[in-house]
Amino acid sequence: MQEIHNLIGGFQVALSWFNLVLMLAGVVLGVIIGVLPGLGGANGVAILLPLTFSMAQQPGGQTSAIILLSCIYWGALFGGAITSILFNIPGEPWSVATTFDGYPLGQKGRAGTALTAAFTSSFVGALVGVLLITFLSPIVARFALQFGPPEFFSVYLLTFCAFVGMSKGSPFKTIASMMLGFALAAVGIDTVTGQLRLTFGLIVLLKGFDFLIAVIGLFGIGEILLTIEEGLEFRGARAKLNMKVVIETWKELPRYWKTSVRSAIVGCLMGIVPGGATPASFMSYGLAKKMSRDGDKFGTGVVEGVVAPETAAHAAGTSALLPMITLGVPGSPTAAVLLGGLLIWGLQPGPLLFTEKADFVWGLIASMYLGNIVGLIVVLTCVPLFAAILRVPFAIIAPVILVICAIGAYTVHNSMFDVWLMLIFGLMGYVFKKLDYPMAPMVLALVLGDNAENGFRQSMLLSQGDMRIFFSNKLVGGITALALLLLFWPLISRLLHLVRGGNGGPPAAAGKG
Amino acid sequence: MQQGSEERAVGSVRAWEVVVASLFLVFGAVVMWDSWRIGARWSDDGPQAGYFPFYIGLFIVISALVIALNAARMGEEGREPFVRWRQLRMILTVLVPSVVYVALIDNPWFSLGIYVPSALFIAVFMRYLGKYKWHTIAAVSIGVIVAFFLMFEIWFQVPLPKGPLEAAFGFA
C-alpha cells in the first residue's frame, strides 16, 4: 500500500491554491484548444510549453508546470467531444467514433444528453486510466530499473513496430513517415563521435530539428490548410445543457455499465501501446455494437454509442502517459510533447524519476485525478460558452491561430528559421494528410530518434555488432519478438485471411483498426 | 465555363502519390549518400556516425519504391482528383499571406517585429475572407495584438521580435 501513501503525498503537493488555479486555467485553455480547428492537444501543449520555462525554474515549479500542461491535455480530450457532437467535426482523431452516434443525437435535439454522456464516460475512462497508472507505474518503473541498452532499444522497437502493425493504411507509408522522423532526428552533431551529419554545410541545420516545431506545423498549419480547403462553414446544433438533462442522463448511464467496463479495459490495454487511442475508440464502438441489445440502432443516435468510444479514448489517452513517465517512451504525440517539456525543465523521464523525483511524479498523478474532476465540472457548466467559440467566423479564427502558431514556433528557440520550418512542416502535414501518411510515427521518431539510436549503438558495442543481443535473455527476447510480430502483423493478418478462405471482406478489427 | 475550370483537378491522387514517393526516394538516397560519406560501417571502436542513418535512408528508399509501385497499380481511386482548383485557390489565399507575414517579421531589409505584421495579417484575412468593416477589423486585430503583447512581454516575460513601432514606444 506504498502507492496509497505516495498518492496522499502527491495530493498534498497538488492541492495548493496556485496549482488548483493552474488546473482550472489549463482545463479551460485545453477545451478551447480542443474545440478550435487547427489547435489540438499536441500542438496546443507545444505552443504553450515555452511559457512554462520561467515557471519551472522556481522551487516546486516543475510540478506546477506539468499540472498546467497535463490539464491542457485533459481539457483537449474533453473538447474533442464537443465539436464531434455539435458540429460533426471530430476535434481529435479519437473523437471520430464519437460522431457516429453523437451527431445524430444532437440532430434529434438531444445534444445535451449526448454531451453529458460523452463527458461522464470520458471522466470514467480517464479515472480507470489514472487508477491503472497509480498502481501499475511504480511496478513498471521498478522493473525497468534493471533495463540495459538492449532492453530499452527493444522497447523503442516495440513502440515503432506497433505503429506499423496498427496502422490502418499502407504499412509502407507508416514506415516512410517514421523513417523521415528518424532521419530528421539524426540531423546535426552526432553526440557520440562529434561528427556533423546531414547538415550539408548549412549552419542553421547544426542544431537539428526540434520536434515541437514539427508538431506545430504538421498538426497546426496542416490542419488549417485542410479546413480552409472546404471553405469551412460551421453548421451546428445548439447546445443547451441544464442540470435537469445532466441528472436525467446520469440516471440512464448506469444501464450501460457493461459497455463502460469493456471500453475502459480496451482503452487501457490499447493506450499503453503507442497510437492506441484512435483504434481503441473504434474497437470499443465496434464491440459495443456487436454486443449490445440495441446493436442495430447504433449510428442513428443511441447514448451507448457515445459511451463506448469516449470511455475507451479517454482511458487510452490517460494510460498513454504510463509508458511516458515510467520508461520515457511516449505513447502519443501529446505525451511526446509532455515528455519534451520534462526534458526541457531538466527532468529525465524514465524509471529513475520515481525514485529521484517522487514528489514530482506523485504530484502529477494526483493532479490527474483532480484535473479530471475539474475538467468534468468545467465542461458540464460551460458548454454553451465553448460552442460559442466555434461560431466566431473562420475569417477571424484562422489568422489568429496562424499567429499563435508562429509565436509558438518562434518561442521554442527564439529562432525565425523555426517559423519558416513550421510553414514547411505545415505544407507537408497537408500533403501527408491528403495521401494518408500518418504523422504520429514521424513525430515520435523525431522525439525518440536520438535515444533509440543510442540504445542501438550501445547494444551493438556490448555485443560487438552481434544482432543476437536482442534475443539474449527472456525479457529482451520477448519484447523483440512481440515487436517483430507487430511489425509483420499486416502481412500475417493477410495470410490468415487467405488461409481462412477470404469469406467476404477483411475482418472487422483489421478494417477499422 | 467558369464553373468547369473551378472544378478542374490539379493532378490526380496517383500523380501526387508518385510525386511524394519520388521526393521520399530522393531524400532517402541523400541520407544514404551523406551517411556513407561520414562512414556507415563498423570501425574498431564500434559503429561509425553514419551507421544508423544509413539504414534509415535505406528503409526510406525501399518504402518509397513500394509506395510508388502501389500507386502505379491503383485503380479507380488513383484517378480521383488530389485537389480541385477551387480548393487550391483557398489554400493559396492562406499560404501566400502566411509567407509574406513571416517574411515581414524578420528579413534583412525592413524587419517589423512580430506584432505589427500579425495585426496586418489578421486585418487582411478579415477584409478579404470575411468582408468586415474597417472599424471591426481595427478593433479585432489591434485588440488581439495588444493582448498578446501584454501576455508575452509583460506577464510571461517571453520576448518576441520587435520592430520600429515597439521601439518608438520604448520597448527594445
Side-chain angles (χ1 to χ4, degrees), chain A residues 170 172-173 435 437, chain B residues 12-22 63-79:
Chain A
S170 156
F172 288 97
K173 285 184 174 170
L435 294 178
Y437 282 88
Chain B
S12 63
V13 170
R14 188 209 312 270
W16 278 92
E17 284 277 10
V18 173
V19 167
V20 173
S22 318
S63 18
L65 287 174
V66 178
I67 293 167
L69 269 179
N70 281 344
R73 287 190 315 185
M74 264 178 148
E76 201 53 40
E77 53 187 330
R79 275 194 283 278

Side-chain angles (χ1 to χ4, degrees), chain B residues 17-99:
Chain B
E17 284 277 10
V18 173
V19 167
V20 173
S22 318
L23 288 176
F24 265 109
L25 191 73
V26 171
F27 180 78
V30 169
V31 171
M32 283 173 77
W33 171 74
D34 192 68
S35 304
W36 191 256
R37 187 181 59 83
I38 57 171
R41 271 174 294 186
W42 192 266
S43 68
D44 299 335
D45 55 345
Q48 289 176 313
Y51 187 76
F52 192 77
F54 180 78
Y55 290 98
I56 296 295
L58 185 66
F59 281 127
I60 295 179
V61 168
I62 294 172
S63 18
L65 287 174
V66 178
I67 293 167
L69 269 179
N70 281 344
R73 287 190 315 185
M74 264 178 148
E76 201 53 40
E77 53 187 330
R79 275 194 283 278
E80 299 263 311
F82 175 73
V83 62
R84 291 181 192 282
W85 185 236
R86 165 177 54 86
Q87 298 170 322
L88 186 65
R89 220 181 42 200
M90 286 301 286
I91 289 164
L92 287 178
T93 52
V94 177
L95 212 54
V96 173
S98 304
V99 171

Side-chain angles (χ1 to χ4, degrees), chain A residues 42-61:
Chain A
N43 57 6
V45 178
I47 289 168
L48 291 165
L49 192 55
L51 296 184
T52 64
F53 289 172
S54 60
M55 188 194 287
Q57 278 156 13
Q58 283 143 19

Side-chain angles (χ1 to χ4, degrees), chain A residues 469-481:
Chain A
I469 191 169
F470 298 116
F471 290 97
S472 58
N473 62 46
K474 265 189 207 151
L475 179 63
V476 67
I479 303 175
T480 313

